[in-house]
Amino acid sequence: MSRPLTHDIELRVNGVRHRSSVESRRLLVHHLRETLGLTGTHVGCDSSNCGACTVLLDGVAVKSCTVFAVAADGADVLTVEGLATDGEMSPVQEGFRQCHGLQCGYCTPGMVVSATGLLLDNPEPTPAEIREGLEGNLCRCTGYQMIVESVRWAAEHGGPGPAAQAHAERATEAGLR
Ligand code: FES
Ligand code: FES
C-alpha cells in the first residue's frame, strides 16, 4: 500500500510559528487539536453545521473543519486560546461571563471566536445583526438571548479586543482582508 502524501506547512497560531508535516486530507481543526494541542477549538459535528470549530484565519472567521491544513499553509490563525491578552480575557470572553452567555460551554469557543470576527467587521452590531452574524453557530442550551446580550456587552466594552485587532491588522497589511 502506498504511503499517504504529506506536505510541509507552516502556520502562525496565536502568535507562535509551527512547522509540521501533514497529510493531504488532514483538517485544520484536527491539526490544531491533535498536533498542536489546542483543544479549545471544539468539534461538534461532522457536517459543517455547528460552528464549534470556528477560528480566525487571516482575520476571517472560518469553520476549521471545512479547511484542509495544507490549504492554510502560511496563514495566521487565532484560536480561542489566543484571544486573551496578558492573562486578561478579551471583551467578548468577559461579555459571555458577565451576561451568562453559556451553560454547558461546548459551543462557547466557536461562539466567542465568531462573535470576535463579527465585531472586527461590525463594531456596533444590532441584536438582529448579531443573530445573523452567529447563525452558523449552534447552541443547544442557552436559547441564544444571553449570547446576543454577551456580544452587545462586548461591543460596549472594547469590541474584539487587542489580540484579535492585532491579528486582523496583520491580515489587512498583508492584503488578505
Ligand atoms: S465541527 Fe466544524 S461546523 Fe461542526
Ligand atoms: S452552552 Fe451548551 S451548547 Fe451552547
Side-chain angles (χ1 to χ4, degrees), residues 61-84:
V62 300
K63 294 178 177 178
S64 60
C65 74
T66 67
V67 178
F68 288 116
V70 66
D73 183 24
D76 189 340
V77 179
L78 196 67
T79 72
V80 69
E81 289 95 339
L83 293 179

Side-chain angles (χ1 to χ4, degrees), residues 96-165:
F96 274 68
R97 188 169 80 95
Q98 292 285 340
C99 302
H100 310 289
L102 65 148
Q103 289 182 25
C104 81
Y106 200 85
C107 70
T108 310
M111 284 286 183
V112 165
V113 174
S114 285
T116 300
L118 170 66
L119 292 175
L120 285 170
D121 292 337
N122 179 0
E124 293 179 24
T126 64
E129 287 169 336
I130 294 169
R131 286 180 183 276
E132 189 182 343
L134 298 182
E135 69 183 2
N137 293 75
L138 303 182
C139 177
R140 291 167 187 247
C141 305
T142 63
Y144 299 99
Q145 182 57 32
M146 307 303 261
I147 290 173
V148 173
E149 288 173 18
S150 302
V151 180
R152 281 172 55 80
W153 189 98
E156 291 164 7
H157 294 84
Q165 291 278 15

Side-chain angles (χ1 to χ4, degrees), residues 23-40:
E23 287 185 25
S24 307
R25 62 184 178 177
R26 183 76 156 171
L27 296 174
L28 179 59
V29 66
H30 295 137
H31 184 60
L32 292 170
R33 287 177 55 83
E34 293 160 24
T35 305
L36 304 185
L38 295 168
T39 54

